[in-house]
Amino acid sequence: MNLSELNETQLKQYLSEHRNDDDKFSSALRELMSRDPNPTWYPPTGWEETGRIIQQKIKEMEE
């Protein structure tokens, strides 16, 4: 699947559907984040904190 051909809504759906597949989730998130002209970068954290930040970001994008 060519993620660059998906619109933002489709990418969010793809993220939701593949949240347990690290490779697919990472690729889709990287594609989605690359579209933001002013991305927010977070300092390195543990996996639990990173997961919380990602889930929060997805929730914000769905609103």
Side-chain angles (χ1 to χ4, degrees), residues 1 5 19 31 35 45 48 55 58 60-61:
M1 172 175 282
E5 294 177 357
R19 64 181 165 267
E31 173 63 30
R35 297 178 184 188
T45 62
E48 288 181 16
Q55 291 301 322
I58 291 170
E60 289 173 7
M61 291 186 293

Side-chain angles (χ1 to χ4, degrees), residues 41-50 53:
W41 296 101
Y42 299 94
T45 62
W47 285 110
E48 288 181 16
E49 180 65 11
T50 300
I53 291 169

Side-chain angles (χ1 to χ4, degrees), residues 29-45 53 57:
L29 185 59
R30 192 170 27 258
E31 173 63 30
L32 189 60
M33 301 271 306
S34 73
R35 297 178 184 188
D36 186 350
N38 298 307
T40 301
W41 296 101
Y42 299 94
T45 62
I53 291 169
K57 203 61 171 155

